[in-house]
Amino acid sequence: MRKASRLFEIIQILRLARKPMTAAVMAETLEVTVRSIYRDIAALQAMRVPIEGGRGIGYIMRPGFDLPPLMFSIEEMEAIVLSLALLERTADEELKQAARRVNRKISGAVPAPLRQALDNKALYAWGSTAHPAAIDLAIVRRAIRDERKLTLAYRDELGRASERTIRPIALIYYSQTANIVAWCELRQAIRNFRSDRVERCGASEDFFKGDGDRLRELWTSGWTEKAVSGSAQAFGG
C-alpha cells in the first residue's frame, strides 16, 4: 500500500474508532509493520491532523476533524479513472457525457497529488467501441428507474419484425452492444433485447410500480433460465 493511501486509511480508522486504537491493531488491519504506523502517525501529526495518544496507550482523533467531501486513495482514484474510460467505450451518449462531467468535478475537488491520477493518462480502456444504438439508452434507463413500460419495434437475428411491450429491469453493457433485460408481455417471460436490433422505442403510459425488484429476482435466480436460453444464445427476443 502506498504511503498516501495508508495515511488516508489511518485517518479513516481513527475517525470511526469508538476507543483509542493501538498501532498494533492498525498495523494488522493495513497489513504493515507497527513501525510504519508510528512513522505515519508522526507524519499526520506534523500535518496538523489532530491525533492524540502514544505508544502503548493507543491513538484517538479529536472531534471536529473531517476530510474534504471528495477524498479518495490513489487506488480508488485509479478505479474511477478506469471506470470512466470504460464508459467511453459504450454507445450510451448520455452516460458518456455524465462521465466527462464527473471527471471534471473530481478533478476540481480533490487535492493536487490525487488529481495527477486523473491527469497523467496512464490508464486506458482499449478495444472496439460499441456500435451506435438505434435508440436512446437514456430512455431505457429512465424507464427502469421509474418502472415504466416500453413499447418496442424489434427485429430478431433472422430479421423477423415484431411489436413488443416490455417491463425493463436491467441494462447489460457489452463491448459491441447493450442488452435490455425485460419482462416481455408477448412471450410472458424474461427476454434479452439487443439495443442495436431495436428499431423504435417509446415510453408507455403504463407502469409496473413495485414489480421491478420481483422481476429482477426472477431473472437473477435462474427461474427463467429455460425461457431465456434460446434468446440468450443470440441476444435476441
Side-chain angles (χ1 to χ4, degrees):
M1 182 181 289
R2 294 189 181 96
K3 183 175 180 179
S5 299
R6 202 167 61 239
L7 296 179
F8 172 79
E9 294 297 336
I10 289 172
I11 290 175
Q12 291 289 69
I13 290 171
L14 294 177
R15 284 180 63 236
L16 298 174
R18 297 181 178 273
K19 61 182 181 179
M21 299 288 293
T22 65
V25 170
M26 288 187 280
E28 183 178 359
T29 301
L30 301 178
E31 298 181 345
V32 297
T33 65
V34 172
R35 182 175 296 179
S36 294
I37 296 297
Y38 287 142
R39 286 198 298 263
D40 293 340
I41 292 289
L44 288 168
Q45 289 172 329
M47 291 186 283
R48 300 192 178 185
V49 176
I51 297 173
E52 297 178 346
R55 301 187 181 194
I57 61 174
Y59 296 92
I60 60 171
M61 184 174 292
R62 290 201 306 270
F65 179 81
D66 209 348
L67 292 169
L70 282 174
M71 174 63 78
F72 303 99
S73 69
I74 291 176
E75 288 77 15
E76 289 165 345
M77 286 298 300
E78 290 177 339
I80 291 170
V81 169
L82 187 55
S83 299
L84 296 177
L86 287 169
L87 275 175
E88 287 290 335
R89 316 309 300 169
T90 73
D92 195 320
E93 290 300 323
E94 187 178 74
L95 279 186
K96 289 199 288 189
Q97 292 295 329
R100 292 161 193 161
R101 293 195 301 272
V102 168
N103 196 313
R104 290 194 296 270
K105 287 181 179 179
I106 293 176
S107 182
V110 299
L114 293 179
R115 193 178 304 126
Q116 293 176 1
L118 286 173
D119 297 338
N120 63 12
K121 307 299 182 186
L123 297 178
Y124 293 86
W126 206 251
S128 59
T129 302
H131 301 306
I135 60 170
D136 185 355
L137 292 175
I139 295 174
V140 181
R141 287 188 284 101
R142 281 194 289 271
I144 293 171
R145 292 196 301 267
D146 297 340
E147 296 186 334
R148 185 171 193 158
K149 296 181 182 181
L150 294 174
T151 56
L152 305 182
Y154 190 72
R155 195 172 294 276
D156 67 15
E157 71 278 8
L158 298 178
R160 297 173 298 199
S162 62
E163 297 285 333
R164 309 289 183 101
T165 297
I166 65 170
R167 304 175 189 183
I169 58 173
L171 262 176
I172 305 174
Y173 288 86
Y174 293 93
S175 60
Q176 293 184 334
T177 187
N179 273 17
I180 305 168
V181 182
W183 177 266
C184 176
E185 296 192 350
L186 176 65
R187 304 300 187 197
Q188 287 295 294
I190 299 288
R191 286 289 191 263
N192 290 346
F193 298 92
R194 281 183 58 144
S195 60
D196 56 353
R197 292 180 183 160
V198 177
E199 298 180 340
R200 187 182 68 256
C201 175
S204 169
E205 296 299 319
D206 298 325
F207 293 81
F208 55 102
K209 292 290 188 183
D211 204 29
D213 288 341
R214 182 187 68 84
L215 291 174
R216 274 185 288 274
E217 286 181 10
L218 290 177
W219 172 49
T220 57
S221 68
W223 180 85
T224 55
E225 181 179 352
K226 183 177 180 180
V228 177
S229 59
S231 61
Q233 295 175 5
F235 303 111

